[in-house]
């Protein structure tokens, strides 16, 4: 299928991480921008976006600005699909001024061709649906007052899709479709410019598109921006103004006397829009970024423009003229919204080139100052909006001043049709969208959106959380495809039970927490209830983080060839039972495009380095088996100083409690301490308050340790079924309990056995202490692999041989040697040493004497008897371990050898071992069971044991003579498959082993 610009060369940059379900990451976005510069792209499209905390902020906004204003690449992006409420544009498209933000439009022709909709325009019915933006297409302005939406393009198409969908084409819609459509339009203009040798600069193309866009009727400027793209008109503009001065200059607008120097004027709160305001507007002409060529510098020095200033509305006053020079100038505007009716109002102050003498201002505005003013309805606890008749696709917006004491509102929506057979009974799809913009929070953090399919006379009550003192938009929209007369009745009732403090944090110690609850709007039924549902544990890095440079191929910024660096941090914790956890990095998560850092990513692995899952800017659950879990956090930036700050960054892991914990609530602390009856349901009269005491949990999960935090929510409303809506604030309020130290478990009291008097001489005691010290020091050398140059023996072997000359019958010394030579790294060349040392140990522990001791009881009150029993217990464990290690060594000696004498010795050693322990029921000796069964040709039994061990990842073999990892077990299973001739299964196990037990961690 052909697109808008069928001759364009398309390059695809993959930014969706498959591990995150195709979610974009900061790393992939940065690498895409680097490649776009390297490959000399002319225009790029990004059909991704997220809610944004701060517009025009963060690392990605800096990189995007460089891409456009330094490298001359036009950047187009989707506005977002989170409408219809205003200020719902997503990042980066709607919140980054360097990027063109595109809304999604649907025309009547598209409705008929793509959606098979009827359009009874000749019958004069309410089925006549005009062209419009899709109801869910995000709406401006951005929270810094900028347009948010710049242009509009068709947002639906029947497009080609991959073959795995089992169809050739598919109907797709969204701003993710309108944005590439607009990109194709840009490509057409760029192609024409190249063909006609017209300089290509993003500002030239942007100005042409904006000044020639067609405003569509019935659609607000906040929905469509400058209007529908018109390629032909834009090309005519470019031709007409190709020699106009400073057409390539970017005129940057900011408001000097507003916090953060926003890009436009946005008055949303009642205190802002109820008074006349004088604002300082700064206009700064920006030439190509970092261009210090002599010609550009000369143009900067010579730059002067006399501009005519005009306001589009009478309630905004501005000067008539502005003489603008390089480095910018400011001028004052006066905004007087005091006489405006409730609703949203928009205006612009336009700057025109005074040398453009045509009456039509054919060059259009050189710059514009967007102005958005919100006027709220009168503050009332009960607002009867009344009957609302909706034209097709219409959106009605009501801005509510949330009164003090309100914590939620009940919005009642009733379909006004009579429930009679002759009336059209088809449902009417309406969209209810409530949004509050809170400081340093994205719109998504304080929004409620519901799709209501209303039948005749149907009533719906929605309880929506609100924040007192912050303007709340209630947008009611008739869904774009809904046909038929649509009339609804709307009522808003503010409700409130206000707790102080809102967030409850309890410490251990029995104090609990006291909350003061008040009702300021009306009588409210209260019945406090609190539940803990999650717990989190803090983790610190295993070692201090390491900052290292990344590859030159993909991680070198084109700006002055700056290298990107990474900080790597490793964390470990034990997952006591199989389940899910969520890694939380409070310092970095919750932001993506506006993040100060380029990116952060956490990869999770089990004890065998198997990849378990990933978490990024927006935390997600990861499933993990029982056992050790390793988390690897990568943070990227080109400034190493910023990374150095995070080298010891703690993080949290969050898990759901196996069983929710209910907290008891009381009317007073005294009642809580004495254990009186808990707080009962009661009416809280308007203007009164009461106290609620929350008791700390009576029992804590055994997995929790000191410093862990249990989390949940507390609600104060009763939530009675007879009340409209929920009867309480949705989601409640946060409550936490910080786990304290646990009291040591009481040990069972036993009679204290007096110690046996040590009657040895001082010389004997000293000799014993010296021998013990030597053995202890020897054991410390067991993991040492260093050999001095020219030495045949390792430090352990050298000292072991020397000590044997003095203490050859000392069992602990011999056991240290046995374990050393039976290590995985050494045993292949030391099997005979293992057998020889075991044979030396066994006679030192007479079998008959051992059996005689354990064949009868001992006097637990007699000190001498207790001491002897403890010594015999130790000797028994020594004998079992010596026999087990000897048996395994004999089995390995037998493999590949024609001399089968060791085969009988192996059987004899197992018989001796089975006298003292049942190896079939203890997986610590699973390796010996497998060797026995394999020797007997019982491969099915071996497979059964292997599979049972694999089911638990080899955990049950730990602490035995040969702990088996998942990789060991898979390797063993593959060997059995090979003996059976199952070549396909052998290959499968080899491939699976690469995933289940890789040699190294998966790279980022």
């Amino acid at each position: 299928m052909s697109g808008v610009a069928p001759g364009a060369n398309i390059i695809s940059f993959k930014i969706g991480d498959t591990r995150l379900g195709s979610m974009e990451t900061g790393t992939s976005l940065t690498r895409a921008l680097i490649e776009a510069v390297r490959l000399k792209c002319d225009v790029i499209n990004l059909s991704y976006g997220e809610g944004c905390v701060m517009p025009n902020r963060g690392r990605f906004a800096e990189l995007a600005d460089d891409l456009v204003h330094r490298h001359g690449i036009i950047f187009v992006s989707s506005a977002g699909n989170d409408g219809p409420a205003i200020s719902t544009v997503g990042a980066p498209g709607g919140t980054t001024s360097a990027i063109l933000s595109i809304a999604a439009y649907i025309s009547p022709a598209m409705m008929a061709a793509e959606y098979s909709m009827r359009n009874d325009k000749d019958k004069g019915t309410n089925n006549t649906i005009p062209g419009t933006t899709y109801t869910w297409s995000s709406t401006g302005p951005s929270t810094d007052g900028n347009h948010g939406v710049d242009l509009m393009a068709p947002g639906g198409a029947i497009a080609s899709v991959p073959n795995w969908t089992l169809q050739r084409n598919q109907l797709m819609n969204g701003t993710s479709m309108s944005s590439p459509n607009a990109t194709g339009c840009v490509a057409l203009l760029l192609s024409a410019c190249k063909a006609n040798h017209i300089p290509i600069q993003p500002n030239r193309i942007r100005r042409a598109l904006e000044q020639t866009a067609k405003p569509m009727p019935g659609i607000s400027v906040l929905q469509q921006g400058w209007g529908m793209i018109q390629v032909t008109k834009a090309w005519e503009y470019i031709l007409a103004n190709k020699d106009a001065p400073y057409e390539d200059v970017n005129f940057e607008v900011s408001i000097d006397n507003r916090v953060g120097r926003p890009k436009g004027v946005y008055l949303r709160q009642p205190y802002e829009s109820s008074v006349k305001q004088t604002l300082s507007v700064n206009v700064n002409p920006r030439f190509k970024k970092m261009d210090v060529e002599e010609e550009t510098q000369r143009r900067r020095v010579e730059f002067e423009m006399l501009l005519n200033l005009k306001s589009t509305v009478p309630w905004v006053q501005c000067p008539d003229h502005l003489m603008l020079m390089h480095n910018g100038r400011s001028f004052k505007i006066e905004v007087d919204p005091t006489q405006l009716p409730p609703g949203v109002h928009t205006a612009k102050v336009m700057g025109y080139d005074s040398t453009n003498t045509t009456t039509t201002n054919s060059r259009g505005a050189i710059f514009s100052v967007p102005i958005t003013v919100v006027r709220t309805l009168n503050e009332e606890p009960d607002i009867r909006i009344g009957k609302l008749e909706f034209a097709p696709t219409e959106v009605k917006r009501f801005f509510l001043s949330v009164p003090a004491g309100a914590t939620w509102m009940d919005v009642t929506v009733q379909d006004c049709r009579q429930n009679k057979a002759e009336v059209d009974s088809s449902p009417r799809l309406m969209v209810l969208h409530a949004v509050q913009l809170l400081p340093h929070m994205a719109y998504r953090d304080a929004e409620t959106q519901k799709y209501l399919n209303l039948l005749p006379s149907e009533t719906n009550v929605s309880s929506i959380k609100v924040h007192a003192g912050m303007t709340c938009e209630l947008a009611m929209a008739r869904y774009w495809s809904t046909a038929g007369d649509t009339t609804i009745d709307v009522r808003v009732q503010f409700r409130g039970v206000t707790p102080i403090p809102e967030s409850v944090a309890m410490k251990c110690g029995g104090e609990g927490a006291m909350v003061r609850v008040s009702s300021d709007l009306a009588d409210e039924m209260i019945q406090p209830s609190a539940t803990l549902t999650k717990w989190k544990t803090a983790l610190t890095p295993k070692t201090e983080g390491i900052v290292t440079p990344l590859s030159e191929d993909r991680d070198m910024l084109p700006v002055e060839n700056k290298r990107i660096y990474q900080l790597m941090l490793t964390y470990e914790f034990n997952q006591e039972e199989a389940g899910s956890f969520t890694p939380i990095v409070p310092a970095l998560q919750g932001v993506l495009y506006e993040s100060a850092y380029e990116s952060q990513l956490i990869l999770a692995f089990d004890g065998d380095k198997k990849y378990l899952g990933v978490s990024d800017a927006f935390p997600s659950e990861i499933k993990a088996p029982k056992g050790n879990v390793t988390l690897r956090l990568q943070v990227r930036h080109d400034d190493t100083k910023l990374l150095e700050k995070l080298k010891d960054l703690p993080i949290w892991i969050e898990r759901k409690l196996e069983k929710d914990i209910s907290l008891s609530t009381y009317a007073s602390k005294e009642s809580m301490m004495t254990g009186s009856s808990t707080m009962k349901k009661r009416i809280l009269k308007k203007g009164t308050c009461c106290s609620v005491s929350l008791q700390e949990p009576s029992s804590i999960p055994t997995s929790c340790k000191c410093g862990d935090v249990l989390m949940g929510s507390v609600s104060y409303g009763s939530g009675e079924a007879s009340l409209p809506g929920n009867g309480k604030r949705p989601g409640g309020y946060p409550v936490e309990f910080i786990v304290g130290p646990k009291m040591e478990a009481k040990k069972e009291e036993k009679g204290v056995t007096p110690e046996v008097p040590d009657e040895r001489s001082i010389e004997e005691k000293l000799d014993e202490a010296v021998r013990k010290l030597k053995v202890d020091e020897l054991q410390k050398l067991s993991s040492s692999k260093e050999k001095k140059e020219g030495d045949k023996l390792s430090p352990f072997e050298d000292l072991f041989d020397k000590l044997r000359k003095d203490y050859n019958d000392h069992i602990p010394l011999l056991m240290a040697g046995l374990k050393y030579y039976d290590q995985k790294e050494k045993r292949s060349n030391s099997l005979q040493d293992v057998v020889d040392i075991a044979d030396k140990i066994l006679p030192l522990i007479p079998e008959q004497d051992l059996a005689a001791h354990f064949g009868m009881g001992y006097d637990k009150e007699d000190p001498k008897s207790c001491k002897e029993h403890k010594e015999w217990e130790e000797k028994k464990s020594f004998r079992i371990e010596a026999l087990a290690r000897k048996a395994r060594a004999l089995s390995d000696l037998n493999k590949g050898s024609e001399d089968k004498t060791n085969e009988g010795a192996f059987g004899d050693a197992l018989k001796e071992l089975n006298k003292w322990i049942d190896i079939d029921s203890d997986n610590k000796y699973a390796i010996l069971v497998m060797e026995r069964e394999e020797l007997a040709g019982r491969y099915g039994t071996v497979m059964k044991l292997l599979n049972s061990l694999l089911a638990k990842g080899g955990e049950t073999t730990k602490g035995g003579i040969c702990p088996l990892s998942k990789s060991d077990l898979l390797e063993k299973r593959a060997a059995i498959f090979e003996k059976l001739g199952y070549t396909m299964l052998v290959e499968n196990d080899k491939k699976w082993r690469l995933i289940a037990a890789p040699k190294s961690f998966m790279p980022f």
Side-chain angles (χ1 to χ4, degrees), residues 984-995:
M984 184 182 296
L985 293 177
V986 172
E987 288 302 313
N988 181 68
D989 257 25
K990 284 181 180 178
K991 292 175 181 177
W992 179 246
R993 194 158 67 246
L994 295 174
I995 299 172

Side-chain angles (χ1 to χ4, degrees), residues 810-927:
H810 186 51
I811 298 176
L813 172 64
L814 296 172
M815 288 300 299
L818 180 66
K819 291 178 182 178
Y820 172 79
Y821 286 109
D822 202 31
Q823 290 180 102
K824 187 175 183 178
E825 300 81 9
K826 298 194 65 65
R827 67 186 313 276
S828 59
N829 297 320
S830 307
L831 292 172
Q832 193 57 54
D833 291 319
V834 173
V835 174
D836 292 344
I837 296 174
D839 284 340
K840 175 64 180 174
I841 293 171
L842 294 173
L844 298 175
I845 309 172
E847 181 182 8
Q848 290 183 351
D849 293 348
L850 191 65
H853 174 80
F854 285 99
M856 57 183 180
Y858 70 98
D859 187 354
K860 297 180 181 179
E861 301 296 326
D862 179 43
K864 185 176 180 181
S865 178
C866 289
K867 182 181 177 183
E868 287 177 354
H869 178 72
K870 185 177 179 180
E871 290 171 352
W872 281 110
E873 284 279 7
E874 186 179 38
K875 288 178 181 179
K876 179 184 175 182
S877 67
F878 288 156
R879 184 173 183 84
I880 290 172
E881 187 170 350
L883 283 169
R885 293 187 185 276
K886 175 184 175 181
R888 183 173 175 232
L890 289 169
S891 174
D892 288 346
L893 284 169
N894 185 56
K895 293 174 183 176
S897 173
E898 295 182 2
D899 182 8
K900 298 300 179 183
T901 56
N902 287 324
E903 189 174 316
F906 170 69
D908 292 341
L910 284 188
K911 288 179 182 177
E912 281 295 312
L913 182 59
N914 273 318
K915 291 179 182 178
W916 304 104
I917 192 169
D918 181 11
I919 63 173
D920 291 278
S921 62
D922 191 341
N923 284 337
K924 291 179 180 178
Y925 305 96
I927 187 68

Side-chain angles (χ1 to χ4, degrees), residues 1-6:
M1 298 181 71
S2 295
V4 175

Side-chain angles (χ1 to χ4, degrees), residues 176-246:
S176 289
M177 297 294 286
S178 63
S179 181
N181 185 295
T183 306
C185 295
V186 171
L188 294 174
L189 296 175
L190 293 174
S191 177
C193 286
K194 289 184 177 184
N196 289 272
H197 307 290
I198 297 174
I200 296 175
Q201 281 293 334
N203 301 309
R204 179 184 295 268
I205 303 299
R206 181 180 194 130
R207 190 170 291 123
L209 290 169
E210 291 179 346
Q211 296 306 313
T212 60
K214 180 181 179 181
M216 303 301 285
I219 308 174
S220 77
V221 67
L222 297 177
Q223 292 172 271
Q224 64 176 320
W226 293 90
M228 173 64 70
I229 287 179
Q230 298 188 103
V231 176
T232 304
K233 295 286 186 182
W235 173 238
E236 292 171 357
Y237 178 96
I238 291 173
L239 282 176
N241 295 283
K242 64 178 181 179
D243 298 321
Y246 310 118

Side-chain angles (χ1 to χ4, degrees), residues 114 222 226 302 345 380-381 470 539 622 736 874:
E114 297 171 16
L222 297 177
W226 293 90
E302 294 179 354
H345 305 273
E380 301 277 354
M470 301 300 295
L539 300 178
I622 297 173
E736 293 184 348
E874 186 179 38

Side-chain angles (χ1 to χ4, degrees), residues 116-137:
S116 303
M117 289 176 59
R118 292 186 302 110
N119 203 341
D120 303 333
K121 59 183 179 181
D122 298 329
K123 299 179 182 179
T125 69
N126 218 355
N127 287 335
T128 305
I129 300 177
T132 183
T133 54
Y134 287 90
T135 310
W136 34 254
S137 185

